[in-house]
Amino acid sequence: MKISLITVFPELHKTFLQTSLIARACEKKLIEVNLVRFSDMCAPKERIDEPTVSHGAGMIIKPEITQKAIEQCQEKWGNGFKIFFSPQGQKLTQPLLNKFSEKFNSQENTHLILVCSRYEGIDARVEEHYADLVLSIGDYVVMGGDLPAQIFLEGLLRLMPGIVGKKESVEKESFQGPVLDYPEYGLPVEWEEKKIPEILRTGNHKEISQWRTTQAYKKTFLSRFDWFVSSNPSTQECALMHTLIPSHYIAIMHTDVKLKVEGVGNTSIASLDIHDAARASITYGIKNLFIVSPLQDQQEILRTFLKFWGSEIGKKYNESRQQAVSCVRPVFSFQEMIETINKQENMKAPIIITTSAQNIKYGKQIDFYSQGKVWQQDRPVLFLFGTGQGLSDKILEKSDYTLLPISGLTEYNHLSVRSAISIVLDRWLGLHSKIY
Ligand SMILES: C[S@@+](CC[C@H](N)C(=O)[O-])C[C@H]1O[C@@H](n2cnc3c(N)ncnc32)[C@H](O)[C@@H]1O
């Protein structure tokens, strides 16, 4: 593989290229690098940059300087795949690196041209004209494209044959699948009063392997559940994840809710809400959907509904609906619901997360992507949804967390409870598959 690196500071890349595995790859002629200095493209006394046009701070590298540099690289080694680095580019990920290593591995002569800009960046026309790919190393701005180019090269080259000794050590890393790598330990057995987990010293390969799998899943759901849900996990991987994360419950409160006409009180149940919330609950792996109402007549309607869906006629009518409705639990009060959960969860009390269309602040506020913070407490999780005008202050005071409100790009803010339930569940527990 031939690599042209166009840069303002070639000296930044010299130690990089002369160290460790990259140096060895150069020695073994697996890669050849051509360092090109932008300023070598200038006429005597010419500068490589000029102020940006119109108001605005900063300097930009002149288009003809980048053009000359790219063309000189192509004269030397032929047409190249041109990568520009910019915080506005496509985010560099392991799947993207895998894709490029496969692409470059399968072709005879690869010539990569990496353009590392500085200052305010590259003239927009140059990027538009030349770039085959614009890459970002993350949502932050560094001073130049040199470190981004080195990060890209380290990620890519370790996947190319012959560069890293053991193939296994690059294939079994974090981000090669939906779960992160398991924790690793070395000797001594005890360090700073912390011991290596006992299981790793038993020599029982089967149990060690199971332990490592569980640890890898735990690390993933505590710190990068976003990665898991966006990396197309298999049905088996989802099933295992579901057994390892804490149990989840939701409740639709028909009591202790604010009413349109002043005060706090009860609301009527709506069968459409129960159908839809039950279907969402089963989809996202919720253990029970509680319907909380102290009113005898409402409870009777609910029990008639559940009796129908639990019956043979209900099953014949729509079996998948029967399956969904099987998670519904009618309860008379908030207290009865908590006691039911405690019993089911070996007396572990649930963490209560309340929801509201307003920005309320009881307990700690939490966003939709901080599952790890909640799950690290190893307790069941209960989401409370209000009806009427929302949960009363008495209920909100019980919050361990309040979830940020759901909102769109407009100011309209009147979702039905069943829509809110689906949105929250999808954000909290849903798979968000990506095509890489
Ligand atoms: C100071 S930055 C210019 C930032 C640009 N004005 C903006 O706000 O999008 C200068 C150069 O550093 C490189 N750079 C900075 N942050 C980067 C990132 N997150 N990923 C890739 N390249 C980056 C790019 O080559 C960029 O043109």
Side-chain angles (χ1 to χ4, degrees), residues 85-88 117-121 135-138 140-145 148:
F85 294 91
S86 162
Q88 302 172 16
S117 100
R118 292 244 145 201
Y119 321 120
E120 271 312 302
L135 268 187
S136 165
I137 53 162
Y140 49 87
V141 176
V142 295
M143 289 184 217

Side-chain angles (χ1 to χ4, degrees), residues 279 309 313-323:
R279 291 162 81 174
W309 283 109
I313 309 171
K315 183 176 176 181
K316 225 165 151 192
Y317 185 67
N318 187 339
E319 198 171 343
S320 74
R321 189 65 52 85
Q322 181 180 68
Q323 186 195 351

Side-chain angles (χ1 to χ4, degrees), residues 341-373:
I341 297 175
N342 282 348
K343 253 190 233 151
Q344 283 182 193
E345 300 290 336
N346 294 324
M347 301 319 281
K348 271 191 197 167
I351 293 174
I352 295 172
I353 305 183
T354 51
T355 59
S356 169
Q358 265 87 50
N359 217 329
I360 44 157
K361 286 186 188 131
Y362 287 93
K364 292 184 202 131
Q365 264 196 320
I366 194 161
D367 62 29
F368 294 93
Y369 311 100
S370 300
Q371 297 87 334
K373 264 192 217 164

Side-chain angles (χ1 to χ4, degrees), residues 388-429:
Q389 303 299 299
L391 297 166
S392 68
D393 289 341
K394 184 179 134 199
I395 294 294
L396 288 171
E397 276 165 16
K398 298 181 190 294
S399 313
D400 291 298
Y401 297 96
T402 50
L403 197 59
L404 289 184
I406 300 165
S407 49
L409 294 177
T410 73
E411 285 181 14
Y412 189 85
N413 191 4
H414 302 280
L415 287 168
S416 67
V417 69
R418 57 186 182 278
S419 293
I421 288 172
S422 294
I423 294 168
V424 168
L425 291 186
D426 188 61
R427 290 187 186 172
W428 192 261
L429 291 166

Side-chain angles (χ1 to χ4, degrees), residues 199 201-209:
I199 176 99
R201 299 196 293 132
T202 59
N204 184 331
H205 292 295
K206 194 170 163 221
E207 281 181 16
I208 290 174
S209 163

Side-chain angles (χ1 to χ4, degrees), residues 43-59:
K45 297 207 176 148
E46 189 191 0
R47 288 181 60 98
I48 64 165
D49 56 348
E50 58 193 26
T52 53
V53 170
S54 192
H55 301 296
M59 305 292 280

